[in-house]
Every structure is written in structure tokens, then in C-alpha cells.
């Protein structure tokens, strides 16, 4: 049997910057397409001409590029208006679209009346009862209709969601959705279905806020003679406060970049949160692709935790190769310096702080009185050590013999004098990077 190539699409509206929820949807679409050896499309949902902006289109592309989620193709809804028009005619002719004239205020009033009676606020289909004469009258008054999709009542709408399992909706409890405004512009629902058909999308992966849209869209696919694609609706993300926060909505690539978060960190976390698989610091996404399985996703909201992200980021940074970061390092900072300081970083930008420690000058630190003589002795010994070998072990070995000091008393004053800090990278890796003359100078200065 021929199976269709998997095609997923990430379909943002370019009305703002992508936030963490969008990034997660993009990552899931990408992972599933890669897992299946299929195609991952970027579809720009720009039917809302008033709110769509080119700078957001560019930002969306840049964000995907930064995350390493290169799309296999890009589509724009504004380029497919003719296809929407053609399907509009088809659905209108088959009686699945009908013209309505209610104003928002009228609809609002009707909803309130229903709610007041304890009834679900479902559109009453009053417009279906309009006669040709009624329509003519509206036309004469220059009132253009908006259009609703007539849901077929009767059989339940069902699909087997890749994440949520068996889904079942009674169309009689749903309002016929408005698909086109009186000015001719499109709402999201129908163009999305038409594109999914035309672009041969096999898997619609998106957030669970779209589940009720899916119910209506399943009927739209069928009304257009198409088999609906598979659907996977991921549970939403929650922030620290345990609910969908404004903060999450404002967190995008710009914020993460500024915070020193690596793209791999975002991918590694967002690929796994809300699943039963552990979050692991993968620098290369191959294992994420390999193990990707919608069956691992839970139904509970996934908790997005910036602290977890920062912790994961440190583990990613500790693995980054010099070549991957060299452009972001200070001038002159070469591989040995990167490798020496890398284990102590939580973000790449902090490498600069250690580079200053290596290059000097460092800030003077308070040295205990009883350590001063010890440091003067260290300065004297350092002058005679082979700096090209392993100066740290040579120096501490000689000092141990000469003074009988060991452990903390042996090491800490040296670290303080040489780096100006009580903690930091392994001194065995750091000391060879500090020029001998400079090291001697620091030890002498601290020995006072
Ligand atoms: N433009 C829609 C959105 O951003 C697309 C939803 C979908 O994936 O179908 O919510």
C-alpha cells in the first residue's frame, strides 16, 4: 500500500512575535515531519491584512532559522485567495455556506438571553430562515452578508487524536462558524482547511485551544470531498503561577537570546515537556527525532519553567564545541581557553568574564594575613616552573613540599590570588592560560 508522505505545517499568523507556545508547536511539527521522513511547511496565515505585518513574517523566519527548524517549503495564505474563492462557490452551491446579517450587538444580545436561561449560547440559525425577498431587501439597503458554515447535525463528529485519543463532538451543540466577513475577508477556519487539502497536509499538529475548531474543520474537509488529516493537539503550557500567564505569551526568541539561552536548549525542553520522556540536554536533535512519539504526550498542561530552562542551558553550553561558539567569544579567546572555562558557564556570554580573568588585570581580593607569606613563596617558586607543561601541579606540588600545606589551605589562597575569585574553572586548565609573568605578578601583589 502506498502511504502518503507526512506533511506537517506550522501556521502562525504574522500579527506579532512568536511566543513560547508557538515555538513548541513549530518544534513538534518539525520533529514529527523529521521522524516520518516527511516535509515540514511554514504557512504564513496572513489573511488578516490589517493586522499582518511583513516584519513579523521576517521575524518568524528568523526565529525558525535560529532554532534550526528550516522549513521544507513556505506558503502564504494571501497568495491563495483564488483557491478560497473557488471553494467558497462550491460550498455555497452545495448549501453549506449561508448568508447572515446579524450585527455583533444583536448576536451578543441573543447570546446573553440564552445564557440567562441557562442554555448554551449556540447561534440559532435565524438567517437560514430568510427568504429570497429578505436577502434582496438587505442587498437593496447595501448591507452585505457575512457567511457561516452550516454544520451537518446528526452524526457525531469524531476523530482519533494522536495525543488526546478518541474525540467526539455533537455538532448540534456548536454554533455554525462564521468563515467570511461582510467585507469579503476570511476568518481562519476555512482557508486553513483549503490549504491543508491543497498542500496535502497529513498531520495537523497544534495546541489544544484549537480542538473545537477541529470539530468544525473536520466537517469542512468532508464538505470539500477530502479526507481530514490526522490531528494532534498538545496540552497547553502553563507558567510558574500554574496558569496560562501573560508572561508566557511575552516570552519569545528575543527574550531567550538575550538571556543567553541556546536554541538547542529551547528545542530540547519544548520537545519533551508535557511528555513522559525525560528532558535531556541534546545538542544534536537527532535523538529527539528518533524517540519522538505522540503517545508519550500527557493530557495535563505542561509546566514551562524558566529555571529548568536555565539549568538545561548550562548542560548544553558545557557540551558546545569551540567551533560552534567562536564567533561569540572575545577576540583572541582560543579553543583551550574555551574548553577550560566551559564547565563553569551557564551561558556562552559569560565566557568573557573568565577571559578577563585570564588576560587580566584582575580585581584585587582580600587575602588573609597568614596566607601572604605563602603567596610570596608561591611567586618565587612560580618563576622556576616549566609553564609549557602542567604548571598548576608543578606549583602546588612544590608548595606542598615546601610548606606542608594541603587541601584548601594549599589551593584556595592560590586561586584567590590568581583569579580574584573563590570558585571557578579547574586551575590545572586555567593556569597555563595565564602568562607566567602575569601569574607571578598576581601572586606577588596578593602576597603584598
Ligand atoms: N494561524 C492559526 C493560529 O496561529 C493556525 C492554527 C492551525 O495550526 O491550524 O492559531
Amino acid at each position: 500500500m502506498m502511504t502518503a508522505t507526512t506533511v506537517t505545517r506550522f501556521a502562525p499568523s504574522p500579527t506579532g512575535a512568536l511566543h513560547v507556545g508557538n515555538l513548541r508547536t513549530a518544534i513538534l511539527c518539525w520533529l514529527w515531519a523529521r521522524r516520518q521522513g516527511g516535509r515540514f511547511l511554514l504557512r504564513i496565515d496572513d489573511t488578516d491584512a490589517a493586522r499582518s505585518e511583513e516584519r513579523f513574517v521576517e521575524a518568524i523566519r528568523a526565529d525558525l532559522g535560529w532554532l534550526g527548524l528550516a522549513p521544507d517549503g513556505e506558503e502564504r495564505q494571501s497568495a491563495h485567495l483564488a483557491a478560497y474563492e473557488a471553494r467558497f462557490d462550491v460550498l455555497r452551491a452545495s448549501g453549506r455556506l449561508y448568508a447572515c446579517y446579524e450585527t455583533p450587538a444583536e448576536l451578543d444580545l441573543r447570546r446573553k438571553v440564552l445564557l440567562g436561561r441557562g442554555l448554551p449560547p449556540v447561534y440559532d440559525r435565524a438567517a437560514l430562515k430568510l427568504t429570497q425577498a429578505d436577502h434582496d431587501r438587505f442587498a437593496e439597503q447595501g448591507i452585505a452578508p457575512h457567511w457561516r458554515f452550516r454544520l451537518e447535525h446528526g452524526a457525531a463528529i469524531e476523530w482519533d487524536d494522536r495525543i488526546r485519543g478518541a474525540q467526539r463532538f455533537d455538532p448540534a451543540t456548536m454554533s455554525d462558524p462564521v468563515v467570511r466577513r461582510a467585507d469579503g475577508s476570511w476568518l481562519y477556519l476555512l482557508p486553513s482547511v483549503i490549504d491543508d487539502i491543497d498542500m496535502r497536509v497529513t498531520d495537523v499538529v497544534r495546541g489544544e485551544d484549537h480542538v473545537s475548531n477541529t470539530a468544525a474543520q473536520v466537517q469542512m474537509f468532508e464538505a470539500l470531498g477530502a479526507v481530514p488529516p490526522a490531528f494532534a493537539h498538545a496540552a497547553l503550557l502553563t507558567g510558574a503561577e500554574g496558569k496560562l500567564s501573560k508572561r508566557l505569551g511575552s516570552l519569545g526568541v528575543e527574550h531567550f537570546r538575550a538571556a543567553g539561552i541556546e536554541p538547542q536548549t529551547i528545542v530540547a525542553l519544548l520537545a519533551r515537556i508535557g511528555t513522559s520522556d525525560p528532558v535531556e540536554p541534546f545538542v544534536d536533535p537527532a535523538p529527539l527525532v528518533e524517540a519522538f512519539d505522540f503517545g508519550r504526550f500527557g493530557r495535563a498542561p505542561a509546566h514551562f519553567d524558566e529555571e529548568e530552562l536555565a539549568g538545561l542551558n548550562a548542560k548544553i553550553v558545557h557540551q558546545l564545541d569551540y567551533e560552534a561558539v567562536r564567533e561569540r567569544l572575545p577576540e583572541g579567546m582560543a579553543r583551550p581557553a574555551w574548553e577550560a572555562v566551559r564547565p563553569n558557564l551557564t551561558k556562552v556570554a559569560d565566557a568573557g568574564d573568565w577571559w578577563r580573568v585570564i588576560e587580566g588585570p584582575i580585581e584585587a581580593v582580600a587575602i588573609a594575613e597568614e596566607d601572604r607569606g605563602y603567596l610570596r613563596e608561591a611567586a618565587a617558586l612560580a618563576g622556576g616552573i616549566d609553564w609549557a607543561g602542567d604548571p598548576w601541579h608543578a606549583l602546588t606540588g612544590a608548595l606542598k613540599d615546601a610548606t606542608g600545606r594541603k587541601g584548601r589551605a594549599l589551593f584556595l589562597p592560590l586561586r584567590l590570588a590568581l583569579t580574584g575569585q573563590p570558585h571557578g574553572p579547574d586551575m590545572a586548565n586555567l593556569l597555563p592560560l595565564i602568562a607566567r609573568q602575569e601569574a607571578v605578578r598576581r601572586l606577588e601583589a596578593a602576597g603584598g
Side-chain angles (χ1 to χ4, degrees):
M1 200 181 87
M2 276 263 296
T3 46
T5 307
T6 296
V7 179
T8 64
R9 85 294 193 279
F10 170 53
S13 304
T15 53
L18 299 180
H19 57 71
V20 61
N22 304 132
L23 300 180
R24 178 171 181 239
T25 299
I27 289 165
L28 301 187
C29 289
W30 181 85
L31 285 168
W32 182 237
R34 289 287 93 90
R35 175 81 187 89
Q36 298 292 97
R39 285 163 53 75
F40 164 66
L41 302 180
L42 169 61
R43 190 184 81 200
I44 302 291
D45 280 6
D46 59 351
T47 52
D48 186 344
R51 292 175 58 229
S52 297
E53 291 183 45
E54 207 50 35
R55 68 189 169 110
F56 293 129
V57 175
E58 279 154 26
I60 289 165
R61 288 189 196 120
D63 287 357
L64 293 185
W66 184 72
L67 287 170
L69 313 176
D72 301 305
E74 181 181 312
E75 300 280 355
R76 285 180 89 115
Q77 292 203 312
S78 56
H80 299 134
L81 298 178
Y84 308 154
E85 210 61 61
R87 285 348 194 280
F88 179 81
D89 291 343
V90 169
L91 291 175
R92 209 182 141 182
S94 63
R96 295 304 294 272
L97 294 179
Y98 62 99
C100 306
Y101 303 88
E102 292 93 344
T103 64
E106 276 173 299
L107 292 171
D108 198 43
L109 188 63
R110 281 190 215 170
R111 258 196 304 271
K112 282 187 182 137
V113 169
L114 288 170
L115 285 169
R117 291 194 204 136
L119 297 169
V122 176
Y123 175 61
D124 59 9
R125 296 185 153 179
L128 271 181
K129 300 183 192 87
L130 296 176
T131 62
Q132 189 53 50
D134 295 327
H135 288 291
D136 293 345
R137 228 180 8 261
F138 280 113
E140 276 162 27
Q141 292 166 30
I143 300 174
H146 56 274
W147 297 85
R148 287 186 190 260
F149 177 77
R150 187 175 56 74
L151 292 166
E152 208 77 85
H153 290 183
I157 301 170
E158 294 181 291
W159 77 92
D160 190 11
D161 197 276
R162 290 200 192 278
I163 292 175
R164 298 166 62 83
Q167 301 293 296
R168 202 182 153 88
F169 282 77
D170 177 0
T173 64
M174 298 161 58
S175 292
D176 288 338
V178 176
V179 295
R180 196 170 192 183
R181 300 184 190 89
D183 66 2
S185 65
W186 297 96
L187 283 105
Y188 142 81
L189 282 178
L190 185 58
S192 178
V193 167
I194 295 167
D195 285 339
D196 286 337
I197 295 170
D198 291 351
M199 294 163 199
R200 299 180 201 286
V201 169
T202 60
D203 291 76
V204 171
V205 180
R206 56 191 182 188
E208 120 188 315
D209 48 330
H210 281 290
V211 167
S212 57
N213 286 339
T214 300
Q217 287 179 319
V218 164
Q219 282 209 358
M220 293 178 187
F221 280 102
E222 287 163 353
L224 289 167
V227 178
F231 291 94
H233 292 92
L236 298 183
L237 297 182
T238 60
E241 320 75 40
K243 58 179 166 54
L244 257 183
S245 64
K246 265 215 169 100
R247 171 139 184 91
L248 277 191
S250 72
L251 294 184
V253 161
E254 206 174 313
H255 165 86
F256 294 127
R257 279 181 90 142
I261 303 296
E262 301 297 316
Q264 293 98 324
T265 312
I266 310 270
V267 173
L269 183 69
L270 293 181
R272 289 279 173 90
I273 55 171
T275 78
S276 52
D277 289 321
V279 171
E280 293 171 88
F282 292 117
V283 171
D284 180 326
L288 291 170
V289 171
E290 191 81 6
F292 188 77
D293 178 358
F294 283 118
R296 317 287 285 180
F297 283 72
R299 294 281 302 269
H303 187 72
F304 179 80
D305 181 349
E306 280 191 87
E307 268 177 43
E308 185 180 14
L309 188 75
L312 186 68
N313 195 57
K315 293 181 188 159
I316 296 271
V317 169
H318 299 167
Q319 302 171 67
L320 292 178
D321 188 66
Y322 174 65
E323 293 302 332
V325 297
R326 63 183 300 171
E327 280 165 22
R328 291 190 276 155
L329 298 180
E331 181 84 31
M333 187 169 179
R335 179 182 289 277
W338 167 249
E339 286 174 358
V341 308
R342 182 173 66 171
N344 287 75
L345 301 178
T346 54
K347 45 189 180 186
V348 172
D350 291 348
D353 295 342
W354 289 112
W355 181 240
R356 275 190 292 284
V357 167
I358 291 167
E359 290 277 275
I362 57 164
E363 278 176 40
V365 288
I367 297 290
E369 201 47 51
E370 69 268 24
D371 290 331
R372 292 190 185 277
Y374 170 67
L375 290 172
R376 284 197 295 276
E377 189 153 5
L381 284 170
I385 277 168
D386 170 17
W387 220 253
D390 180 355
W392 176 248
H393 287 108
L395 177 64
T396 52
L399 277 165
K400 192 176 176 185
D401 291 345
T403 66
R405 286 193 182 215
K406 51 187 196 289
R408 201 179 148 83
L410 179 69
F411 301 122
L412 185 60
L414 295 173
R415 180 182 283 284
L416 281 172
L418 289 164
T419 70
Q421 318 266 343
H423 307 284
D426 189 341
M427 287 303 297
N429 297 329
L430 211 52
L431 189 55
L433 302 168
I434 302 171
R436 184 216 302 270
Q437 229 185 345
E438 173 67 10
V440 170
R441 213 191 49 69
R442 290 182 196 180
L443 291 166
E444 279 171 351

